[in-house]
Amino acid sequence: MHVDPVTLVCLSLATLFVAVLPITVYRRLRKPFRFDWRDTISGVAVFALFATVLERGLNDFVLHQNPATAQLFENPLAFVLYGALAAGVCEEVGRYIAMRMLARRGGRLPNTPVDSTGLAYGIGHGGAEAWFVGVLVQLQWIFFAVLANRGELDTHLSNLTMDSVLRVHLVLATLSPLQAGIFALERTAAFVFQIGLSVLMWRGVQAGRKSILPLAIVLHALIDVPAAMFQARLVPLVAVDALYAVVAVAVAVVLFRRCAPGRPARAV
């Protein structure tokens, strides 16, 4: 097993880009939007708890441990519906709870822009996703690729089953510069979506709209539908990524136009 050096370099650069993206965005927007670091930490904590613990635990039970539901969701359409809704419900409930708590907190700096909390929280939530779902996973594959090129991979994986070893080899064999670019595009789009959803949720909470939670769940689910359809082998990856790229650009444009730092925050 050998991974082409060009592929390894491209994957490393894509991983580095995803890793520094949330940090760079936070540093660029911190002063004009007068960010409170606690808002960003809240986003990180909510994603870590609701997405990596609760959602994964739910998925493991529903899709693997429970025979009845596991059989039900073998149907591609049922799997798509469940996957989109599970992600939407878990993450948006966590986001809503956090936003309600942040809205009650006082001590904000004077003339803080109205969307400061939503943006700061979104960078934390989206940044955590970029690292947990993207960077850490890709670092593992980069490590495996280096071991493979040294001829040490099988020795390192000696404690795994043969099926698991074969899956690792299969993934390494499919790595390419194109996949590195797709990875960077997907994680960037997801980061933009998380910021957009956070700003939307913050504005809804500030306005006292009880409908903001179901609206956010539906929007989040709709965003996850193409990815779930790809996992169910209903649509090709190129179509999913093209759609995400277009929608992410549109969301970024709306955020740029609507989130002006000159607007003072309303009293909570």
Side-chain angles (χ1 to χ4, degrees), residues 82-155:
Y82 165 78
L85 283 176
V89 170
C90 290
E91 288 194 48
E92 296 311 319
V93 168
R95 199 189 317 261
Y96 179 74
I97 293 172
M99 293 293 189
R100 289 291 299 272
M101 295 175 64
L102 293 174
R104 296 191 182 101
R105 193 189 72 217
R108 298 189 183 278
L109 296 174
N111 300 318
T112 299
V114 64
D115 292 311
S116 173
T117 296
L119 289 169
Y121 175 95
I123 292 172
H125 194 121
E129 182 180 39
W131 272 82
F132 292 154
V133 178
V135 174
L136 297 181
V137 174
Q138 293 305 315
L139 285 176
Q140 181 185 47
W141 290 116
I142 292 172
F143 176 64
F144 285 162
V146 171
L147 289 178
N149 290 350
R150 292 179 177 178
E152 303 173 358
L153 180 61
D154 290 339
T155 301

Side-chain angles (χ1 to χ4, degrees), residues 65-83:
Q65 296 182 13
N66 189 322
T69 55
Q71 183 177 7
L72 172 64
F73 292 120
E74 287 179 358
N75 180 285
L77 293 179
F79 173 81
V80 169
L81 180 61
Y82 165 78

Side-chain angles (χ1 to χ4, degrees), residues 191-268:
F191 181 66
V192 173
F193 295 151
Q194 293 289 10
I195 294 177
L197 288 167
S198 298
V199 170
L200 177 68
M201 181 71 80
W202 176 246
R203 289 192 175 192
V205 169
Q206 287 285 82
R209 296 174 182 169
K210 296 181 180 180
S211 61
I212 191 61
L213 177 57
L215 174 61
I217 290 174
V218 170
L219 290 176
H220 195 133
L222 289 175
I223 291 173
D224 284 344
V225 163
M229 291 180 68
F230 167 72
Q231 292 178 354
R233 300 181 180 179
L234 296 176
V235 294
L237 181 61
V238 62
V240 173
D241 288 332
L243 177 62
Y244 280 155
V246 171
V247 177
V249 170
V251 172
V253 170
V254 172
L255 287 172
F256 181 79
R257 290 181 176 179
R258 297 293 181 88
C259 299
R263 297 171 56 197
R266 294 169 293 181
V268 178

Side-chain angles (χ1 to χ4, degrees), residues 162-186:
M162 183 57 65
D163 287 342
S164 298
V165 173
L166 289 175
R167 281 196 293 270
V168 171
H169 279 273
L170 179 61
V171 172
L172 292 177
T174 59
L175 293 178
S176 67
L178 177 61
Q179 284 192 327
I182 290 174
F183 160 71
L185 186 152
E186 290 176 345

